[in-house]
Amino acid sequence: VTVAHAVDLLTHYSFDLGTDSANQLVDRWLNHYSASWIRWAVIEALYQGRYKAISVDQILQLWHRRQHP
C-alpha cells in the first residue's frame, strides 16, 4: 500500500520522471530505502514544490546520510 501510494503521488502530480516510469523508480529506490521513506520523500518533495524524481532521490540520500528522515 505504501509503495502504491508513492507511485500514485508521482503519477498524479506529474513528477518529471526522466525516462523511467514511476514503478521503475520506486522499484530502484526500494533496493536502498524502505517503502515508508520513499512515500515520505515524495510527500516532502511535494511540500517543497520540487516535482522531479531527482528531488526525491536527493531527499532520500540526505536522509540516508543522517540515518533518519
Side-chain angles (χ1 to χ4, degrees):
V1 173
T2 303
V3 171
H5 190 228
V7 170
D8 289 345
L9 288 170
L10 289 167
T11 305
H12 179 76
Y13 287 98
S14 302
F15 271 65
D16 178 353
L17 306 176
T19 59
D20 297 316
S21 71
N23 283 316
Q24 289 171 320
L25 286 167
V26 170
D27 285 344
R28 189 173 316 130
W29 290 329
L30 281 170
N31 291 323
H32 305 283
Y33 310 106
S34 71
S36 63
W37 274 33
I38 294 167
R39 179 177 172 266
W40 285 113
V42 172
I43 292 169
E44 179 66 18
L46 284 169
Y47 177 76
Q48 293 180 14
R50 299 168 60 193
Y51 291 69
K52 295 185 176 188
I54 191 70
S55 298
V56 177
D57 194 54
Q58 290 169 348
I59 291 166
L60 287 166
Q61 289 176 32
L62 173 67
W63 291 353
H64 181 72
R65 283 193 302 273
R66 291 183 182 171
Q67 296 297 311
H68 65 85

